[in-house]
Amino acid sequence: MEKTGANGVFYVTTPIYYVNALPHIGHSYTTVAADVVARYRRLRGQRVLFATGTDEHGQKVFRSAQAQGKNPQAFVDEIAAAYQKAWKAFHIEYDAFIRTTNTTHVATVQYVFDKLRASGDIYPGEYEGWYCTACESSFREDELRDGNCPDCGRSVEHASQPAYFFRTSKYAERILRYLEDHPDFIIPRSRQNEVISFVSAGLRDACVSRRRTDWDIPVPDDDSQSIYVWFDALINYLTVAGYPDDPEKFAQVWPPDVQLMGKDILPRFHATLWPAMLMALDLPLPRQLVAHGWWVAPASDKTGLTKISKSKGNVIDPLQAAANLAHVSGADGDVAVDAIRYYMLREVTFGLDGVFSMDSVVDRFNADLANDLGNLLNRSLPLVHRFLAGCLPAPSGDLELTEDIEAARQACEQAMDQYDFSGALEALWALVRRANKFLDERAPWNLHKAGHTEAAGQVLYEVADVARCVALGIAPFMPYVAAEIWRQLGLEETQETMRWQDFAPGRTPAHTAVGEPRPIFPRIDVNKLQQAEVEQKARQEKSTEGLVTLAEFARVDLRAGKVLAAERIPKADKLLKLIVDVGEDQPREIVAGLAPRFQPEDLVGLTVVVVANLEPATIRGARSQGMVLAAGAQEPVAMVVLSPDCPPGTKVR
Ligand code: MSP
């Protein structure tokens, strides 16, 4: 199926984000990249549908709402709004923001489920396996790594229950053939190979429902089951396209031209389950899937680099980074946001992992933006005012930078077609540097001094012409900066006037009156940056004084312990010696200050809470290996006890 002719819409998507937490750099990365694609296509005159949104069902989201004591709907409303606000601040211009709790989406998911159950691709069965809530994924026992989730390493929960299954296995052959016939389906190519191996190893049917929950889409006509969150989530791409109720829109939009995502959700979901679902629905597959790498940070245990994520407590908020950048540089806040967008797509080749550091942000800001691009403008525009009364001349004769402009445009287009964003920016910067060199070589200040004002005017025209082309090239990446350059050049910056086809030499109108030059990128003093970082750290430490992080709390090993025996310690009227079974080979001896309140016989038989990894200590000749929890500030008032059926050794969290 082809999109309907000239009406075809370029459809680009991001994954929809779990609303268990606020957006961080990982989410922003995919969304900025998709925004760059959407803006580039619009600049090229294409109609675009750029969709992003939030994935609001599932246990992970439900538990986060519970943990904060909030009603789940109120919780997801709050976080979805925070996502929208963050995207606006990040200069993201999406066309559709899908929320999976929208009624239209719920109806689409139920429609798809029903249709596939009717065709036999969804069938009832018995689920037996291990579930990782963090990944919202299930695994067979033999897939676990050391008994934990093979993807994220966290603990998994066992489940055995009736459920519906989707026949992914039936489509394995077809998917494999598709991958082989479409070598450009997945970018980068290395990921396509990875997916081929994944599929070749065999695909098993996906469990697409679970025992009825209050926070998932119910399976139609079966009160006992709810739909699996990934099955629900993938269908968002269809809902946005108008499936099944708006066939006219659907014909113009489907299939997606490109779907962007992180490498972690490619093989299992977007490259197998998703194509299989589309095959079962008899719908065309997306044209391309593009998987990017991760933003990583040094691991706390110094074992190397680890993915940035909320649960590791190492998140970076790129908007905060932009605010810091604005603070230390004195740049406009919108310029700083654009600079972070630039940094994210320029610093790391799309597809590879990268380390975010403020030092490298500042290096890029100073070198690429302030020095290369900023200087090109700051060294040329004021001269137009000084030598030419603020008006560019008409171009005359051969333009010397013609080939450079054309080469840059071509290289940039090629790179953009391959989602090689850093390559596209490199091509543009080659042009910026060439124009700076041209300015040095032709030295219009000398020409003017020697009375060759006309020749000086031609040089300045060419430099301004390059600046205009560069502004077009960077517009998808740095929309605010591009518009600002355009304004400084004295051009009108609207969607109609800024067109990619004018990325060509000599298109700057003759006699353009250039605007007021104003440096866009003030150079950053690195010492000032360090000072600001120190201050921020101090502020942060102050605001978290007295608080422990989750990771710190998790270091305390709390266990259920059964008190087997208790006795007084001679000549120590406050202490009791307890013998406690904490599920180990040997019971432990624990000395506790419980005697002011409890008789030894009150305690025997109780299941108490033990701090199992407390440093051992010798107290009155007894070796104390742990501590038991009791309420009471000075003297004990009450024991913390667990129900008697809780086995000794059970972890308390
Ligand atoms: N809700 C699912 C997606 C469903 S799409 C039908 C989900 N959500 S997520 O919020 O956990 O992650 C969304 C995206 O953020 C993924 O593409 C993931 O790769 C990306 N990132 C999260 N952390 C990341 C980094 N540290 N670095 C780069 N991107 C990473 O998965």
Side-chain angles (χ1 to χ4, degrees):
M1 182 173 89
E2 273 304 311
K3 296 190 196 192
T4 37
N7 274 338
V9 171
F10 189 96
Y11 183 23
V12 46
T13 68
T14 73
I16 49 172
Y17 305 107
Y18 288 127
V19 288
N20 62 320
L22 298 173
H24 64 64
I25 188 169
H27 313 120
S28 309
Y29 190 41
T30 331
T31 316
V32 168
D35 186 57
V36 169
V37 172
R39 286 176 183 273
Y40 173 67
R41 292 290 158 189
R42 288 189 202 114
L43 209 54
R44 298 205 63 166
Q46 286 178 270
R47 289 208 297 152
V48 171
L49 174 59
F50 163 24
T52 186
T54 40
D55 191 352
E56 303 188 355
H57 294 122
Q59 293 184 46
K60 178 157 135 152
V61 170
F62 184 69
R63 287 183 188 174
S64 301
Q66 272 186 327
Q68 294 194 19
K70 290 189 177 148
N71 160 293
Q73 189 62 52
F75 176 76
V76 298
D77 286 349
E78 208 176 286
I79 302 209
Y83 265 90
Q84 290 172 348
K85 193 166 155 223
W87 295 156
K88 189 153 185 265
F90 224 163
H91 302 165
I92 308 275
E93 254 176 32
Y94 50 76
D95 302 293
F97 190 94
I98 167 111
R99 299 183 52 187
T100 54
T101 50
N102 284 352
T103 45
T104 350
H105 176 70
V106 171
T108 309
V109 172
Q110 291 186 322
Y111 171 87
V112 169
F113 195 98
D114 224 14
K115 191 171 158 99
L116 298 184
R117 186 171 47 184
S119 68
D121 274 322
I122 286 182
Y123 62 93
E126 195 63 35
Y127 170 78
E128 212 272 308
W130 297 85
Y131 199 75
C132 171
T133 303
C135 298
E136 297 281 14
S137 303
S138 57
F139 301 97
R140 284 190 316 260
E141 179 123 16
D142 62 310
E143 288 176 315
L144 301 179
R145 210 182 321 128
D146 302 329
N148 292 323
C149 171
D151 284 352
C152 74
R154 273 174 276 225
S155 58
V156 286
E157 291 166 46
H158 187 256
S160 164
Q161 50 186 253
Y164 288 95
F165 287 83
F166 170 68
R167 290 190 200 281
T168 324
S169 61
K170 174 173 152 192
Y171 296 97
E173 264 311 305
R174 249 178 89 184
I175 294 174
L176 206 52
R177 232 175 310 125
Y178 190 89
L179 288 165
E180 277 157 8
D181 294 347
H182 299 81
D184 295 325
F185 180 49
I186 296 171
I187 296 182
R189 184 67 64 92
S190 55
R191 298 258 167 246
Q192 169 116 345
N193 297 337
E194 186 189 321
V195 171
I196 291 179
S197 330
F198 181 78
V199 182
S200 308
L203 294 180
R204 69 195 156 102
D205 292 351
C207 177
V208 291
S209 77
R210 51 200 304 271
R211 198 180 288 136
R212 181 68 182 259
T213 64
D214 291 334
W215 192 245
D216 292 285
I217 301 179
V219 167
D221 306 319
D222 184 344
D223 285 346
S224 70
Q225 298 282 309
S226 294
I227 295 175
Y228 172 46
V229 63
W230 264 102
F231 188 82
D232 156 0
L234 287 164
I235 291 171
N236 92 82
Y237 305 128
L238 288 166
T239 311
V240 171
Y243 185 81
D245 290 333
D246 190 346
E248 210 175 301
K249 177 176 182 187
F250 192 67
Q252 290 184 15
V253 168
W254 201 260
D257 292 85
V258 63
Q259 303 207 272
L260 297 162
M261 72 210 67
K263 62 183 181 181
D264 47 332
I265 55 173
L266 178 78
R268 203 179 284 281
F269 300 110
H270 284 85
T272 48
L273 176 58
W274 174 226
M277 284 163 66
L278 291 173
M279 285 171 177
L281 289 168
D282 207 13
L283 292 173
L285 302 195
R287 298 223 162 99
Q288 284 187 311
L289 304 177
V290 180
H292 61 70
W294 285 341
W295 287 99
V296 291
S300 52
D301 58 4
K302 306 206 170 52
T303 50
L305 294 168
T306 170
K307 183 185 176 197
I308 286 178
S309 76
K310 183 196 162 221
S311 60
K312 298 206 180 81
N314 61 356
V315 293
I316 287 171
D317 172 0
L319 285 171
Q320 185 58 50
N324 293 349
L325 188 63
H327 177 68
V328 295
S329 65
D332 192 302
D334 284 310
V335 170
V337 163
D338 273 6
I340 297 288
R341 288 171 58 113
Y342 170 80
Y343 168 81
M344 292 202 295
L345 293 173
R346 174 67 185 82
E347 184 72 6
V348 182
T349 303
F350 210 62
L352 304 181
D353 291 352
V355 178
F356 186 100
S357 90
M358 211 52 200
D359 288 348
S360 57
V361 168
V362 169
D363 286 349
R364 287 257 167 228
F365 188 90
N366 280 344
D368 301 3
L369 301 179
N371 244 12
D372 293 343
L373 181 56
N375 272 345
L376 187 67
L377 298 164
N378 302 344
R379 297 199 305 150
S380 56
L381 293 185
L383 299 187
V384 179
H385 284 279
R386 271 180 39 209
F387 304 161
L388 308 164
C391 235
L392 290 173
S396 75
D398 287 341
L399 294 174
E400 288 188 50
L401 298 177
T402 294
E403 275 179 24
D404 301 284
I405 292 178
E406 278 166 358
R409 196 199 62 229
Q410 258 177 32
C412 190
E413 285 174 3
Q414 258 171 25
M416 289 302 281
D417 281 345
Q418 287 160 23
Y419 302 97
D420 171 11
F421 302 110
S422 53
L425 289 168
E426 263 165 47
L428 293 168
W429 255 255
L431 179 60
V432 171
R433 283 192 289 267
R434 171 74 186 102
N436 267 321
K437 197 151 169 263
F438 175 73
L439 199 58
D440 291 339
E441 286 165 3
R442 301 316 216 71
W445 42 91
N446 291 340
L447 290 171
H448 175 72
K449 218 193 239 155
H452 305 301
T453 300
E454 207 173 302
Q458 285 305 312
V459 172
L460 292 173
Y461 176 91
E462 288 215 51
V463 171
D465 203 36
V466 164
R468 182 186 54 80
C469 292
V470 169
L472 278 174
I474 63 173
F477 299 86
M478 296 196 279
Y480 179 86
V481 166
E484 178 61 23
I485 296 178
W486 206 262
R487 277 194 290 272
Q488 293 198 15
L489 287 170
L491 303 167
E492 196 197 346
E493 30 76 45
T494 65
Q495 211 160 1
E496 288 73 45
T497 52
M498 291 185 87
R499 301 173 311 174
W500 188 262
Q501 70 211 62
D502 291 329
F503 192 139
R507 298 275 172 94
T508 308
H511 314 301
T512 298
V514 304
E516 212 37 58
R518 184 177 72 97
I520 303 174
F521 308 107
R523 257 192 92 81
I524 299 170
D525 176 349
V526 180
N527 295 329
K528 207 168 149 203
L529 170 76
Q530 281 163 358
Q531 176 66 24
E533 278 176 350
V534 170
E535 283 165 16
Q536 199 196 343
K537 199 154 176 269
R539 272 198 305 276
Q540 234 167 27
E541 274 168 11
K542 200 151 178 235
S543 70
T544 56
E545 240 171 315
L547 301 180
V548 290
T549 64
L550 201 59
E552 282 163 351
F553 174 71
R555 291 192 52 224
V556 182
D557 185 14
L558 297 175
R559 305 255 165 202
K562 195 168 180 84
V563 183
L564 303 178
E567 61 182 51
R568 293 184 182 283
I569 298 188
K571 298 205 194 95
D573 45 356
K574 292 203 167 158
L575 301 179
L576 294 181
K577 185 166 87 181
L578 313 180
I579 305 294
V580 187
D581 173 8
V582 284
E584 297 163 335
D585 296 345
Q586 291 287 325
R588 294 192 188 196
E589 214 172 73
I590 295 177
V591 177
L594 299 171
R597 175 81 186 194
F598 300 102
Q599 301 298 326
E601 53 275 22
D602 295 341
L603 301 175
V604 176
L606 289 184
T607 302
V608 295
V609 178
V610 174
V611 181
N613 59 345
L614 193 73
E615 259 183 279
T618 304
I619 305 172
R620 298 282 165 127
R623 183 87 180 136
S624 182
Q625 298 170 293
M627 183 170 113
V628 291
L629 298 190
Q634 303 292 333
E635 305 265 280
V637 176
M639 296 300 296
V640 176
V641 288
L642 300 170
S643 61
D645 56 351
C646 179
T650 307
K651 183 137 184 67
V652 177
R653 297 198 295 165

